[in-house]
Amino acid sequence: MDARSTTDEDGGEPCRTVPGARRAAQAPPARPGIRKPLPPRLFAVHGTNAETRWEALRGAGYLTPDDLFFVRNHTATPLVDAATWRLTLWGDGLDGGPVAFTYRDILGMPAETVTAFIECAGNGRGLYGEQQGQEVSGTPWRLGAVGVARWRGVRLATLLRRAGMSDRAVALMPRGLDADYVEAGENLGRVRRPLPVAKALDDVLVAYEMNGRPLPPDHGYPARLVVPGWVGVASIKWLGDVEVSAEPLESPWSTRLYRMHGPGHPPGGGPPLTRMGVKSAFELPWPARLQVGREHLLRGRSWSGHGRVVRVEVSDDEGASWRPARLHDDRHPRGWVRWTFPWTPRMAGDLRLLARAADETGATQPGRAACNTLGYGFDAVVRHPVVVT
């Protein structure tokens, strides 16, 4: 999930090019409010958020281990007692009154497992400044606000059916149990974001396990939504209740946040963000330091919210030429694909490695990401710095 900074999105010169710009402006340091350890060799901490370092994933396997999975918190990780926890479905989109499910109820229902990535909508935001020289606001992630896990739980459709969802229902409003989020002195309430009924009935999971174990506190214990392919804010953690409505629903996370604002977008922002674009990342430090004249087996991962990645190419000459990488794994439609690329640098010096992917729909990574003041949706080919010695 992600949220804008307290900067007014309508003020100043949005998305202007700033000479020598680097990472996006960062809010003052805050106490992380994260329960698991965050060693600097594994994470870069941004206030209440923790970004996975890509070099830590080298050799980690297909799934992102719990202790390496990024953390996006609007406030702080709550500790929820599963014994007293209830998931309540309510609203005028039900044929009857509110229905509450206990943790035991949900564990006793038919379970499904899905391998899927969850990614913050602002993943790559820092690269607007570093790579495109554009000033945006928000947490300055590079590419480490993404992870793939094997999620186990109950389809949201199953719970809606048992709660007696009416044919009148058009929208849901899942809401988390974390503390109210306050922005610039305004209390926006608990994190919540509308979800269309069509998506809810398709592939959304109420998950209680992550990689074969109960969800860790930082990742939503006792239960969270997993909304495959969509922006991470849709996958509400510490799920507490779901409003089922016969009318369209809105929240700050669908009106002023998680929309594209700025030049080229409507005055009130574009439509609420849903599917994530295509991205690629090298499993290398930033910058990487590699030896000249030696063959290095470069490793990386690519993913897309629209389907399987079918092609990855690598360039060491700023995109003048591209060579195919070797794809591995079964290419889960909701996960990522790992790839390798043998590379021997011929000269010492500073250069940049580029990787670009294409998915089964034909979508590929552009040379530049679309400008927007809140820094969402960075999907451009990333120029990874390398020092060859």
Side-chain angles (χ1 to χ4, degrees):
M1 294 185 287
D2 197 86
R4 59 177 263 188
S5 74
T6 56
T7 303
D8 183 354
E9 68 201 25
D10 297 319
E13 300 176 37
C15 278
R16 67 182 184 272
T17 299
V18 181
R22 290 293 182 263
R23 306 199 78 178
Q26 185 174 358
R31 183 178 178 183
I34 296 172
R35 304 289 175 173
K36 68 183 179 183
L38 301 173
R41 64 185 177 83
L42 302 182
F43 292 98
V45 177
H46 308 292
T48 60
N49 310 307
E51 174 177 5
T52 306
R53 296 191 186 277
W54 271 91
E55 62 268 32
L57 291 176
R58 185 178 176 92
Y62 184 86
L63 302 177
T64 308
D66 304 1
D67 60 352
L68 290 181
F69 210 97
F70 84 101
V71 179
R72 172 62 177 109
N73 282 354
H74 281 77
T75 54
T77 296
L79 292 180
V80 181
D81 181 3
T84 58
W85 172 84
R86 300 290 185 272
L87 173 58
T88 302
L89 276 61
W90 61 279
D92 61 7
L94 298 180
D95 284 328
V99 177
F101 299 97
T102 68
Y103 190 61
R104 185 181 295 273
D105 289 336
I106 291 179
L107 292 181
M109 295 180 189
E112 295 195 18
T113 301
V114 61
T115 297
F117 73 81
I118 290 180
E119 180 180 15
C120 176
N123 196 24
R125 180 184 283 120
L127 297 169
Y128 278 105
E130 289 189 36
Q131 186 164 298
Q132 298 188 178
Q134 294 171 333
E135 187 176 15
V136 299
S137 63
T139 302
W141 310 99
R142 279 203 178 106
L143 285 177
V146 63
V148 170
R150 182 176 294 120
W151 311 97
R152 181 175 173 84
V154 177
R155 278 189 176 267
L156 179 55
T158 299
L159 297 177
L160 291 169
R161 186 167 55 252
R162 294 193 180 202
M165 186 176 74
S166 166
D167 291 340
R168 302 186 308 276
V170 298
L172 312 178
M173 183 76 80
R175 183 169 57 164
L177 290 171
D178 42 340
D180 288 2
Y181 178 61
V182 178
E183 179 188 70
E186 179 185 359
N187 189 330
L188 303 184
R190 302 210 306 269
V191 177
R192 61 202 184 280
R193 191 171 194 263
L195 188 66
V197 164
K199 178 64 173 176
L201 296 178
D202 181 18
D203 58 358
V204 177
L205 200 67
V206 176
Y208 49 77
E209 284 186 5
M210 176 182 183
N211 295 334
R213 295 183 292 182
L215 291 168
D218 292 310
H219 300 293
Y221 182 83
R224 68 172 299 164
L225 282 191
V226 174
V227 184
W230 281 35
V231 292
V233 69
S235 293
I236 297 291
K237 296 193 286 186
W238 317 294
L239 187 62
D241 69 282
V242 179
E243 179 183 359
V244 185
S245 175
E247 302 291 337
L249 296 170
E250 291 183 341
S251 84
W253 286 268
S254 67
T255 54
R256 57 173 141 168
L257 306 176
Y258 299 95
R259 290 175 179 255
M260 295 286 200
H261 295 271
H265 304 291
L273 298 174
T274 55
R275 293 192 179 277
M276 299 298 292
V278 189
K279 290 191 178 75
S280 299
F282 289 95
E283 295 176 1
L284 290 172
W286 189 288
R289 298 184 180 276
L290 299 175
Q291 185 178 346
V292 67
R294 173 187 168 190
E295 183 176 276
H296 303 273
L297 186 64
L298 304 178
R299 299 178 184 273
R301 307 185 189 215
S302 299
W303 63 99
S304 170
H306 294 274
R308 294 178 178 86
V309 168
V310 296
R311 185 177 71 253
V312 178
E313 300 169 304
V314 174
S315 174
D316 62 0
D317 57 8
E318 293 293 328
S321 63
W322 296 89
R323 289 181 288 161
R326 180 184 177 189
L327 305 188
H328 304 276
D329 307 315
D330 293 333
R331 290 174 240 172
H332 294 280
R334 302 176 181 90
W336 52 25
V337 62
R338 294 182 295 174
W339 45 264
T340 54
F341 182 83
W343 181 62
T344 303
R346 302 300 180 186
M347 297 177 60
D350 296 347
L351 55 80
R352 298 185 292 185
L353 288 169
L354 284 60
R356 68 180 181 188
D359 68 23
E360 59 189 340
T361 71
T364 189
Q365 295 180 249
R368 288 176 67 84
C371 166
N372 67 101
T373 58
L374 302 185
Y376 294 132
F378 189 93
D379 58 355
V381 174
V382 174
R383 288 154 171 79
H384 195 114
V386 178
V387 179
V388 180
T389 57

